[in-house]
Structure formats: C-alpha cells, structure tokens
Amino acid sequence: MTRILMVATSADRMTPGTEPTGVWLEELTTPYYAFRDAGAEVTLASIRGGAIPVDQRSVNADGENDASVERYLKDEALMAEVASTPVFTSIDPAGYDALFLPGGHGTMFDYPGSDELARLVERFDREGKIVAAVCHGPAGLVSAKKADGTPFVADRRVAGFTDSEERAVGLDQAVPFLLETRLKELGGKHEGGPDFAPFALRDGNLVTGQNPASATRTAELVMEALQDKVA
C-alpha cells in the first residue's frame, strides 16, 4: 500500500503580531481525501504535535465550502486526527513513499525555521521519493539543500503562492518574506498561473501547486508520480 506523510504547520499566529493563522483547511482536506480515496494510507503529523491550527478564514458557513471541507466537517475521525497529531519527528519516514506539505500562512512562520523539516525533505528527495507542497507549503522547501549543498529548489520548476496573490490578500507585509521572491532567489524556476486560478506542476519527484484552488491538481500529480514509480 502507498503511504503518504502529511506534515502541517503548528503556527497559529503571524508573529511578531497577533493575527490568527494556521493551515488553510482545503489544502489539507483535498489532498488527504484524494490520497485516501485512491487507496493510499495517509499519516497526518505537524511541526510541534497536538492540534493543527486551522485558519478560520478557510472555513465558511455550512454548505458554502469546498467539497473536501464540507466532507471534513462531517468526518469525526479526521477531525479527531487534526485535533491530536504526532510531532513529525516522532515518525519513522522509512516506510513512506511521499511527503506532502499543505499550506496556509502558518507555514511561513514555522516551516522555514525547522531544520528537522529541511532534513526530512532532503531525505525523501535523496531516496527518490515524492516531495510535494501546495500554496504556502513550499515554504518548507526553502531551507533544504541538495547533496552538493545548493538550495533544494535550485534549477527546479516550482510553483507557490505568488507575490501578486500575497498583495491581493493584503498580507504581503505580515509574512516574513514573499514566497515567490524567495524561491526565485534560491534559484528556483518559478512558474505560475493567473491569481487564484488552479496551477500545479511536476518536476520529476517534486510536485508543487500555487494556491488553494490548486490542491486538487497537486494531489493528482502526486498520484501520477507515485504510479510512475510502480510502472
């Protein structure tokens, strides 16, 4: 059975301020259900363990959410998982085929500073496994390195929440850096579609998506990459 490890943010505030943040729920629920429905086993973990903070801006009134979020809000088992996750460093990555990093602005505040997450990304990459991230999830790639010491994203095609999207949501001054700019500074070949439209791409074993609307396509590309490994 295919096994996928999802590591979510534990940051619930945009520091040094007090603006609430967390995971963007659709970016967790859409791939989670896509993987599960395809027969994969999914392990949900987080940077610090415990409850994954959910950005409340990503949850609307009942009936007004993305289909995966609606499903989640009726799924007591997954809600319980989100409320009590293991710290990701407690999980042996040896038996997993892919690493998936959901986004949300919280990731900008704890992914880049986690040396352990950077080492996990590097391990999956060097073992030829899939590394995937959506929206702000690629913040978890910026501190990782290739075996030769160059940035993990250097010379790789990569997508992520764009600078124009960050400005459009009015949080370009709240985040510690602009993700698109940082990916380019690290030598990444950043690509993007129109603001808030679905856009995802695959570069070998690296799969990235631009924004919440890209979560479905990002998950599809992960499954395609996994199938290619079996073929």
Side-chain angles (χ1 to χ4, degrees):
M1 177 182 285
T2 298
R3 301 180 72 208
I4 299 172
L5 175 60
M6 295 183 71
V7 180
T9 182
S10 291
D12 63 357
R13 290 288 182 274
M14 296 188 190
T15 54
T18 59
E19 180 76 17
T21 189
V23 73
W24 196 264
L25 190 54
E26 177 184 353
E27 296 166 17
L28 185 154
T29 55
T30 294
Y32 180 93
Y33 286 125
F35 299 148
R36 285 282 303 273
D37 292 348
E41 176 185 319
V42 183
T43 300
L44 193 57
S46 61
I47 296 295
R48 294 199 304 265
I52 297 171
V54 174
D55 191 323
Q56 290 306 301
R57 290 171 295 191
S58 66
V59 185
N60 299 313
D62 190 36
E64 297 179 4
N65 296 285
D66 170 82
S68 72
V69 174
E70 292 291 329
R71 181 175 172 182
Y72 167 83
L73 294 172
K74 299 175 179 64
D75 186 343
E76 293 185 3
L78 181 54
M79 291 176 73
E81 280 191 59
V82 169
S84 181
T85 59
V87 59
F88 78 98
T89 52
S90 70
I91 296 170
D92 182 358
Y96 290 89
D97 305 290
L99 171 66
F100 192 97
L101 305 177
H105 279 88
T107 64
M108 297 289 285
F109 297 89
D110 62 359
Y111 277 6
S114 173
D115 290 338
E116 294 88 352
L117 182 61
R119 302 295 88 75
L120 185 65
V121 168
E122 293 167 358
R123 175 171 175 173
F124 271 75
D125 183 54
R126 291 168 195 175
E127 293 179 357
K129 298 178 178 181
I130 310 302
V131 174
V134 65
C135 196
H136 288 91
L141 310 178
V142 301
S143 298
K145 305 286 187 184
K146 296 179 184 177
D148 63 3
T150 58
F152 174 79
V153 298
D155 297 317
R156 282 174 156 149
R157 297 173 64 217
V158 61
F161 205 62
T162 65
D163 294 357
S164 60
E165 287 173 321
E166 201 70 84
R167 294 186 183 100
V169 298
L171 292 172
D172 53 302
Q173 298 301 313
V175 290
F177 56 86
L178 292 173
L179 184 56
E180 175 187 347
T181 293
R182 178 63 58 85
L183 292 171
K184 289 177 176 176
E185 289 172 348
L186 294 170
K189 298 177 179 179
H190 183 275
E191 299 178 30
D195 285 0
F196 308 110
F199 182 86
L201 58 82
R202 175 185 169 196
D203 186 344
N205 292 332
L206 176 62
V207 176
T208 48
Q210 179 173 323
N211 48 36
S214 307
T216 295
R217 183 59 182 152
T218 306
E220 290 172 350
L221 289 173
V222 170
M223 296 309 295
E224 287 179 16
L226 288 166
Q227 289 164 3
D228 286 350
K229 289 192 165 299
V230 175

